[in-house]
Amino acid sequence: MANRVFQGVIYQMKDAIDRIIGVVDETGAIISCSELSKIGEVRDGIATDRLSTGDVFVRDGYTYHMFSSNRRNDYAVFVEGTDDVAARYAAILTIALQNIKQYHDEKFDKANFIKNVVLDNILPGDIYAKARELHFSTEVSRVVLLIRVTSGTDISSYDVVSTLFPDKQKDFVFNISENDTVLVKEIKRGIDPKDIYKLAASIVDTLNGEHYIKSVIGIGTPIANVKDLATSFKEAQIALEVGKVFDTEQTIISYDNLGIARLIYQLPTTLCEMFLKEVFKQGSIESLDSETLFTIQRFFENNLNVSETSRGLFVHRNTLVYRLEKIKKLTGLDLREFDDAIVFKVALMVKKYLNSNPAKY
């Protein structure tokens, strides 16, 4: 990574400095150079000279100027020549490369820091100490989005999302698996949840519309302190898992909008099975055919309104009433009664959860 950073500066400087310039690492190997053919060569004696001389030394017709990154790896700029001009060029290059390397390292460290916080790989007591070291603002509102690729091309979703959020000081993007990319987005305090949803929708649209990558996004709850990022990430994970069971058609699932589905997902399977047995004492839910289940779904969508549902199904009102009576005889639940309708709705969701084959416990 450092090689690319240094080479970019050396490449821009080579026309302004009419001499061979470059950078060697602590072993004396050339890692960046205005003459590309020299990259990889090892300058004999440099490793020894850097320990026995000062910051500036001359060897074999080149002037060297030492500098270090905050990772403690020592580097040296070299400029062709041993005169004062070569020394000045070396000093200027050293200042430029030192500053750029420091900026790059801080950015890299911040990204790693955020990743470790999100994945809960850092002790709570160390979070604030590391944040102070990196000059990282801890009390800023952020939200975690988990982008999961379901199908697509060879283009990396990480590359696409990184391009969409170029401010690497505020927004952080990283991979946690081949198909999962995490976005930690800085947001305004008190932001409308609809705006976060629109943000997620724009990511889905860009991935699908421009790159033919199909994806789903789980959204955690917004947090006001960096220590809560792991919680927001886990919520985004739960949102995707719950959505996979209960909202299979949705591409964006927010933890805050999971409602009762979140509760059911967290229930022990043994408790769910007991609940179904208690609800359907008279007859099993399997006794209801697909047409009847479709009717029930439309009845719920129309807020238990018989007239609206019959119009939507293009059936006579009496036909719908007959179907509801049939359901009552089979299950003992009258869906026209609010309490019975709630029990039946929950039972359908529990059945769907059990059909997804969750771990038995």
Side-chain angles (χ1 to χ4, degrees):
M1 188 67 75
N3 302 16
R4 292 201 298 269
V5 174
F6 293 152
Q7 187 62 32
V9 177
I10 296 298
Y11 183 80
Q12 294 178 63
M13 292 284 193
K14 71 173 186 176
D15 291 333
I17 301 176
D18 190 23
R19 301 188 182 199
I20 297 173
I21 56 176
V23 179
V24 295
D25 64 15
E26 70 276 12
T27 68
I30 299 176
I31 59 173
S32 300
C33 189
S34 56
E35 288 194 4
L36 298 180
S37 61
K38 292 184 178 295
I39 295 177
E41 290 182 7
V42 177
R43 293 284 173 90
D44 294 333
I46 300 301
T48 303
D49 286 346
R50 75 181 185 87
L51 298 175
S52 60
T53 62
D55 286 343
V56 181
F57 59 91
V58 173
R59 186 177 181 87
D60 298 332
Y62 285 86
T63 299
Y64 292 83
H65 199 301
M66 301 290 299
F67 70 98
S68 299
S69 75
N70 61 9
R71 293 181 182 277
R72 310 308 303 166
N73 291 324
D74 293 326
Y75 301 95
V77 166
F78 64 84
V79 177
E80 184 183 17
T82 59
D83 55 358
D84 289 341
V85 175
R88 285 199 296 272
Y89 281 156
I92 293 170
L93 277 171
T94 297
I95 294 170
L97 293 177
Q98 178 89 47
N99 289 336
I100 289 171
K101 187 67 170 66
Q102 182 177 352
Y103 171 78
H104 173 268
D105 283 348
E106 284 185 1
K107 185 172 70 173
F108 183 77
D109 277 347
K110 284 182 179 179
N112 268 340
F113 168 63
I114 285 292
K115 184 174 183 177
N116 284 326
V117 173
V118 166
L119 298 181
D120 211 8
N121 290 336
I122 183 171
L123 294 173
D126 294 337
I127 290 177
Y128 293 107
K130 188 65 176 177
R132 282 195 297 272
E133 180 185 326
L134 296 173
H135 307 292
F136 186 86
S137 180
T138 57
E139 296 184 356
V140 171
S141 292
R142 298 180 174 93
V143 66
V144 177
L145 280 71
L146 177 56
I147 301 126
R148 177 166 296 165
V149 173
T150 55
S151 66
T153 65
D154 293 334
I155 298 173
S156 167
S157 61
Y158 166 81
D159 292 336
V160 177
V161 177
S162 294
T163 303
L164 291 175
F165 301 94
D167 190 343
K168 307 307 180 188
Q169 294 300 310
K170 292 185 176 181
D171 304 324
F172 300 89
V173 181
F174 56 87
N175 281 335
I176 57 172
S177 71
E178 185 179 354
N179 295 320
D180 287 359
T181 300
V182 173
L183 166 65
V184 178
K185 180 77 179 74
E186 184 173 316
I187 55 176
K188 294 180 180 178
R189 195 176 295 274
I191 189 173
D192 190 328
K194 292 180 180 177
D195 291 332
I196 300 177
Y197 187 93
K198 289 177 182 176
L199 174 72
S202 69
I203 296 173
V204 170
D205 290 344
T206 301
L207 287 171
N208 191 22
E210 297 182 18
H211 303 282
Y212 306 104
I213 300 172
K214 290 187 178 180
S215 62
V216 291
I217 296 181
I219 305 174
T221 55
I223 54 95
N225 194 296
V226 67
K227 67 180 176 61
D228 297 319
L229 281 175
T231 301
S232 185
F233 170 65
K234 288 170 185 173
E235 290 170 347
Q237 285 181 307
I238 291 173
L240 284 185
E241 293 303 315
V242 174
K244 189 166 62 177
V245 176
F246 299 107
D247 292 304
T248 53
E249 301 301 318
Q250 296 294 323
T251 56
I252 301 165
I253 307 102
S254 174
Y255 182 83
D256 283 341
N257 295 332
L258 292 177
I260 198 169
R262 185 172 77 205
L263 175 62
I264 294 171
Y265 184 80
Q266 294 172 334
L267 289 175
T269 52
T270 50
L271 190 61
C272 292
E273 290 167 351
M274 288 172 56
F275 173 73
L276 287 182
K277 288 178 181 177
E278 290 175 5
V279 170
F280 298 107
K281 290 177 182 177
Q282 291 185 212
S284 169
I285 193 172
E286 276 82 7
S287 62
L288 302 176
D289 57 36
S290 58
E291 182 185 37
T292 302
L293 290 172
F294 182 76
T295 299
I296 294 169
Q297 187 65 35
R298 289 292 177 266
F299 190 54
F300 287 151
E301 289 174 1
N302 286 287
N303 298 315
L304 314 184
N305 188 302
V306 174
S307 299
E308 287 293 329
T309 306
S310 60
R311 277 197 291 270
L313 292 173
F314 302 104
V315 298
H316 193 277
R317 190 178 189 279
N318 290 341
T319 301
L320 178 58
V321 170
Y322 170 77
R323 290 180 185 177
L324 293 174
E325 286 291 341
K326 180 182 175 182
I327 293 167
K328 183 180 178 181
K329 286 179 182 179
L330 288 170
T331 65
L333 296 172
D334 187 351
L335 300 190
R336 290 164 293 186
E337 297 292 333
F338 182 72
D339 288 347
D340 283 359
I342 289 177
V343 171
F344 199 97
K345 175 70 173 177
V346 172
L348 285 177
M349 295 179 72
V350 168
K351 181 64 178 174
K352 197 170 186 180
Y353 169 58
L354 291 176
N355 286 343
S356 69
N357 296 315
K360 296 285 184 181
Y361 67 104

